[in-house]
Amino acid sequence: MTQQTRAVIVICDSLRADLITPADAPFLVELAERAAHFAAHRSVFPSTTRASAASIATGCLPARHGLLGNTMALDEGEGLVCRSAGHPDFPDRLRRATGRTLHVPTLAERLRRHGEIAVSCANVSPGAAYFQDPDGHGYVYHAAGSYGPGRLPIDDPASAALNKGIAGDRAMTERFCADILEERAPALAIMWLSEPDYTGHHSPLGSPEHRSAIAAADQCARQVFETVRRLDPSGNDILFITGSDHGMETITRAIDLDTLLVGAGLKRAPDSRDVVVAPNGTAATLYFAEPDGDLVPRVARFLAAEDWVGEVFAGDRLAAVGLPTNTAMRVAVTLAGEDRANPHGVRGASPIIQDPADNESKIGFGQHGGLGPNEQRPFLMIEGGGFAAGARNQPTSLIDIAPTVLRHLRMGQDDMDGRALPRVGV
Ligand SMILES: [Zn+2]
């Protein structure tokens, strides 16, 4: 590859494709005209940021990369316990409990094999940042700690000072454009904004606050794009990709699944380790101390009869939604959504599974995790690198981003779940 061949990715966390409007996101509306615009783009399941980060990084579904959501139950020697994959120590816990982090290589690892470097700046949870490159092949900059190759800590005051939200995203964007894109010019640079996810979790979808967060993310994406095209006006060398990881639904109520299971005689106590619920917003995964025991079908039957459950996946059906069939996680549920508008006219609502680690009520605000039509509505646009403008209507997924990047960088990519996206419309 030539020295100039590069890829730049900007993720606007949680930005629902249908909320990209001329009033709130003028840059993205404009970009949709000049870029390849993937109109049937889908998230993975669970549609959570950390599983999505791993899928974007590996080009594989959770069944293959192994990060099964924002929370996972791990057995660290004393039985299954639900852990947040967002905590900075989670990659180390996962490594200790299972001997590894992700089960397949990331873009950062693949680039390093070719003597190239990936640089990631993220203003999301530490877990979502670190799962782009959990084993330290490139550089990851994050407020909870920055790392270089070999997972060597880097003292980076600019990242340490970042807070989630509009101001932090703007500061990160300035730094990303000046230091990373202009000065260091790595083969792959990824920037992951906290907005509009951060505000969407703390205010109603479509509210003035949420719309301001969408506008701020749009401006950050514009700044990166303008920097990219100043560095490469032809568009031949630097591939520009922008998208989101998932959308959001409005929360209607919170389901205390631990208490329901105990009440049904299917779990010994709320904190018992026979069956462990991993809440994932509008979805949940359930882990079993005896994965082949008869508790698994009994729990699956109980869930199937509950009115707040949308769909239950157990046994071989887990594979149909991209989840593994041979781990302690034996049942997954997506909750029952409703197609109704919130007070700001934004459609789509769903219950969530109560997370015992987060007792703050967020009823009426945004959430995601399941297979609802609005949380499964991320956007994706690709400009430069030979991509012709225009809409593509065939289904695409987060897992198609990594092979598309590798094809541009002239590196092999045929061993991923995803496939490189078509440069011309069909
Ligand atoms: Zn997200």
Side-chain angles (χ1 to χ4, degrees):
M1 67 183 235
T2 69
Q3 195 145 22
Q4 305 296 324
T5 304
R6 294 158 60 182
V8 175
I9 303 176
V10 177
I11 303 293
C12 307
D13 202 300
S14 272
L15 179 49
R16 238 169 88 165
D18 62 318
L19 300 184
I20 294 173
T21 63
D24 296 337
F27 165 67
L28 290 173
V29 167
E30 202 180 290
L31 185 69
E33 297 297 315
R34 67 180 279 187
H37 174 209
F38 295 87
H41 194 50
R42 297 263 297 176
S43 187
V44 296
F45 180 68
S47 53
T48 58
T49 305
R50 296 152 206 165
S52 300
S55 286
I56 290 174
T58 61
C60 289
L61 294 167
R64 268 181 77 198
H65 66 58
L67 188 69
L68 306 183
N70 268 1
T71 61
M72 276 179 74
L74 295 183
D75 185 348
E76 295 173 85
E78 294 178 344
L80 292 165
V81 178
C82 182
R83 303 282 182 196
S84 168
H87 197 274
D89 73 1
F90 185 81
D92 289 330
R93 282 185 183 277
L94 186 60
R95 199 179 283 110
R96 280 199 303 271
T98 67
R100 56 188 175 172
T101 57
L102 298 178
H103 304 178
V104 285
T106 59
L107 283 171
E109 180 173 354
R110 290 166 184 268
L111 262 66
R112 196 182 189 192
R113 288 182 201 155
H114 289 264
E116 298 291 344
I117 280 290
V119 178
S120 163
C121 295
N123 197 23
V124 287
S125 72
Y130 298 154
F131 273 104
Q132 293 180 59
D133 180 17
D135 302 318
H137 294 278
Y139 291 85
V140 177
Y141 291 94
H142 188 272
S146 300
Y147 296 91
R151 296 193 82 227
L152 292 175
I154 297 170
D155 181 25
D156 186 58
S159 296
L162 293 180
N163 291 309
K164 286 186 187 181
I166 293 173
D169 283 356
R170 284 188 177 141
M172 177 173 67
T173 302
E174 287 288 336
R175 193 278 174 92
F176 184 76
C177 290
D179 290 0
I180 313 295
L181 297 185
E182 305 229 25
E183 294 295 320
R184 292 168 61 182
L188 173 62
I190 304 179
M191 186 178 80
W192 200 302
L193 298 167
S194 70
E195 296 288 12
D197 182 80
Y198 178 71
T199 297
H201 281 295
H202 296 92
S203 60
L205 303 181
S207 64
E209 296 81 2
H210 185 235
R211 292 179 62 185
S212 297
I214 293 172
D218 182 72
Q219 283 172 8
C220 291
R222 180 195 295 274
Q223 193 176 340
V224 173
F225 180 72
E226 287 178 352
T227 303
V228 162
R229 284 295 158 257
R230 191 167 65 245
L231 293 168
D232 170 28
S234 76
N236 292 331
D237 299 320
I238 308 184
L239 181 70
F240 178 78
I241 299 176
T242 186
S244 51
D245 47 349
H246 49 73
M248 277 186 161
E249 310 276 350
T250 293
I251 302 174
T252 52
R253 60 185 172 130
I255 306 296
D256 182 349
L257 182 51
D258 287 324
T259 299
L260 288 177
L261 290 172
V262 172
L266 295 167
K267 181 170 167 63
R268 279 198 292 276
D271 59 353
S272 64
R273 294 165 186 197
D274 41 355
V275 49
V276 174
V277 175
N280 275 280
T282 55
T285 48
L286 289 87
Y287 293 70
F288 294 82
E290 292 177 29
D292 298 314
D294 75 340
L295 186 58
V296 176
R298 288 170 58 212
V299 167
R301 277 197 299 275
F302 166 78
L303 290 169
E306 292 289 297
D307 64 356
W308 49 269
V309 168
E311 215 172 336
V312 181
F313 304 96
D316 291 345
R317 292 206 63 229
L318 288 165
V321 285
L323 289 172
T325 55
N326 59 352
T327 69
M329 193 284 293
R330 286 298 163 114
V331 177
V333 288
T334 181
L335 274 54
E338 297 165 68
D339 180 31
R340 62 176 157 97
N342 78 355
H344 301 280
V346 176
R347 301 198 76 82
S350 175
I352 59 163
I353 298 294
Q354 180 69 45
D355 185 346
D358 178 9
N359 286 320
E360 185 187 341
S361 170
K362 299 198 176 75
I363 309 292
F365 301 163
Q367 186 52 286
H368 51 91
L371 292 168
N374 302 294
E375 57 197 346
Q376 287 281 335
R377 193 177 287 174
F379 78 99
L380 179 67
M381 300 177 200
I382 305 183
E383 202 270 355
F387 273 85
R392 313 283 198 278
N393 295 312
Q394 69 270 41
T396 61
S397 161
L398 301 186
I399 58 174
D400 300 326
I401 294 172
T404 302
V405 166
L406 291 178
R407 181 184 60 191
H408 179 70
L409 299 178
R410 299 182 183 91
M411 297 177 189
Q413 32 83 19
D414 56 2
D415 57 344
M416 295 176 161
D417 290 340
R419 70 212 189 298
L421 292 165
R423 292 190 178 100
V424 292
V426 285

